[in-house]
C-alpha cells in the first residue's frame, strides 16, 4: 500500500512562516457587505499609495460570496480614482476553476465591474480555458510565467482578497489536500478538489505569505467555526486559513461569522 502520510517538510515550512508573520488584525461589522466595504476602502487606499510610489499595483481577487461582495464594493471606489491609478492596477485571481471561459463557475467573471470601472482588460490576468491549452498543467504553467514576468514568483502582491470556506479552506487550498502543501512555486494545479469543479488553479502559500496585505473576508454563521480555526494556531492540514498570513493580515468579519470568538 502506498504511503499517504503528508510530507513533514512542507508542513513545517508553511506553518513556520505563518507563525513568524504578524498576528492578524480583526475587524467585526454588522453585515458581510459592511465587511466587504471596509476591506475595499483599505484596498483602494493601499493600491493608490503603491501606484504613487511604484507606478504599478497588483491585486488578487477571490470568488464566492465574499468575492461577489468585494467586487460590488470595489467597483465604484476604482471608478472614483484618477485615470493614472486605474490604469496602473493589475488584477489576478487567488484561484480559478478550469472550466470554459464565461462559465458561471469562473471567478474571473467578477472582474467585469472592475473593468467597467476603468481597469484594463490587458492587465486582467485570466487562467486559460480548457479549449485554449492542452490541459490544466499548461494553463497553470502559463499563469506561473505571467507571475514571473510581473515579478510575483515569490509573492509581491500588494493586496490579496481571500474568501473563507466553511471547512477553513482558502483559494483552492483545501484541508488535507496535497496541493495545499506545494512549496517553492507561486501557483499549483489542483486536481480532485473536494468541492466541484474537480480541476482548479490556485495561488500557493508561497505567494500568499509574501503578500503585502492579506484580507480575509467572511460572513455568516456557517463560517464561524472556520473563523475560529483560521484565527487559531497555524495548522495547514486542518485549517489552511490559519496559514494564510502575509506581511500584514486583516480579517473582515460580520457579526455571525465572529460568533465563536472570545468577546
Amino acid at each position: 500500500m502506498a504511503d499517504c502520510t503528508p510530507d513533514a517538510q512542507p508542513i513545517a515550512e508553511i506553518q513556520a512562516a505563518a507563525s513568524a508573520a504578524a498576528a492578524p488584525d480583526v475587524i467585526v461589522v454588522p453585515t458581510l457587505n459592511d465587511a466587504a466595504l471596509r476591506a475595499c476602502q483599505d484596498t483602494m487606499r493601499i493600491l493608490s499609495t503603491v501606484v504613487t510610489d511604484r507606478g504599478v499595483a497588483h491585486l488578487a481577487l477571490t470568488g464566492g460570496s465574499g468575492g461577489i461582495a468585494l467586487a460590488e464594493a470595489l467597483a465604484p471606489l476604482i471608478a472614483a480614482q484618477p485615470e493614472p491609478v486605474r490604469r496602473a492596477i493589475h488584477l489576478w485571481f487567488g484561484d480559478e476553476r478550469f472550466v470554459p471561459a464565461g462559465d458561471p463557475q469562473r471567478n474571473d467573471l467578477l472582474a467585469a465591474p472592475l473593468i467597467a470601472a476603468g481597469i484594463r482588460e490587458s492587465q486582467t490576468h485570466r487562467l486559460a480555458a480548457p479549449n485554449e491549452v492542452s490541459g490544466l498543467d499548461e494553463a497553470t504553467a502559463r499563469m506561473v510565467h505571467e507571475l514571473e514576468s510581473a515579478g510575483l514568483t515569490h509573492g509581491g502582491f500588494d493586496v490579496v482578497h481571500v474568501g473563507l470556506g466553511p471547512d477553513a479552506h482558502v483559494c483552492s487550498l483545501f484541508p488535507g489536500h496535497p496541493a495545499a502543501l506545494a512549496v517553492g512555486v507561486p501557483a499549483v494545479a489542483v486536481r480532485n478538489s473536494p468541492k466541484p469543479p474537480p480541476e482548479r488553479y490556485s495561488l500557493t502559500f508561497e505567494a500568499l505569505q509574501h503578500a503585502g496585505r492579506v484580507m480575509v473576508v467572511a460572513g455568516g454563521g456557517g463560517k464561524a467555526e472556520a473563523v475560529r480555526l483560521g484565527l487559531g494556531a497555524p495548522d495547514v492540514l486542518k485549517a489552511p486559513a490559519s496559514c494564510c498570513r502575509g506581511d500584514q493580515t486583516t480579517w473582515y468579519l460580520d457579526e455571525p461569522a465572529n460568533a465563536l470568538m472570545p468577546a
Side-chain angles (χ1 to χ4, degrees), residues 160-196:
V160 178
H161 287 171
V162 179
L164 180 69
D167 59 354
H169 83 265
V170 290
C171 299
S172 282
L173 305 176
F174 294 92
H177 195 287
L181 303 182
V183 294
V185 290
V188 64
V190 180
R191 290 184 171 80
N192 300 315
S193 164
K195 181 180 179 182

Side-chain angles (χ1 to χ4, degrees), residues 92-118:
W92 305 79
F93 301 89
D95 70 323
E96 185 57 277
R97 292 81 182 269
F98 189 55
V99 293
D103 188 295
Q105 297 178 95
R106 283 189 70 108
N107 288 333
D108 65 6
L109 297 181
L110 296 176
L114 309 185
I115 293 169

Side-chain angles (χ1 to χ4, degrees), residues 90-184:
H90 285 248
L91 296 181
W92 305 79
F93 301 89
D95 70 323
E96 185 57 277
R97 292 81 182 269
F98 189 55
V99 293
D103 188 295
Q105 297 178 95
R106 283 189 70 108
N107 288 333
D108 65 6
L109 297 181
L110 296 176
L114 309 185
I115 293 169
I119 302 294
R120 290 176 171 173
E121 172 64 42
S122 63
Q123 293 176 186
T124 302
H125 302 269
R126 303 177 189 268
L127 185 73
N131 67 313
E132 299 172 323
V133 289
S134 60
L136 178 60
D137 286 339
E138 183 182 348
T140 301
R142 286 190 183 187
M143 188 57 66
V144 169
H145 177 71
E146 288 192 44
L147 291 166
E148 291 173 346
S149 297
L152 300 174
T153 306
H154 300 292
F157 286 100
D158 299 297
V159 178
V160 178
H161 287 171
V162 179
L164 180 69
D167 59 354
H169 83 265
V170 290
C171 299
S172 282
L173 305 176
F174 294 92
H177 195 287
L181 303 182
V183 294

Side-chain angles (χ1 to χ4, degrees), residues 7-17 236:
D7 189 340
Q9 182 174 345
I11 295 172
E13 287 183 21
I14 292 167
Q15 292 180 177
V236 70

Side-chain angles (χ1 to χ4, degrees), residues 159-259:
V159 178
V160 178
H161 287 171
V162 179
L164 180 69
D167 59 354
H169 83 265
V170 290
C171 299
S172 282
L173 305 176
F174 294 92
H177 195 287
L181 303 182
V183 294
V185 290
V188 64
V190 180
R191 290 184 171 80
N192 300 315
S193 164
K195 181 180 179 182
E199 290 193 321
R200 297 159 172 251
Y201 152 93
S202 182
L203 293 179
T204 63
F205 286 111
E206 182 85 18
L208 297 171
Q209 291 177 338
H210 288 87
R213 176 71 67 89
V214 170
M215 299 183 178
V216 181
V217 178
K223 304 290 180 73
E225 176 64 9
V227 168
R228 186 186 70 81
L229 293 172
L231 289 172
D235 185 336
V236 70
L237 295 181
K238 184 177 182 180
S242 65
C243 294
C244 188
R245 300 178 184 178
D247 292 345
Q248 291 182 275
T249 304
T250 306
W251 286 53
Y252 300 82
L253 307 173
D254 71 5
E255 291 171 354
N258 191 60

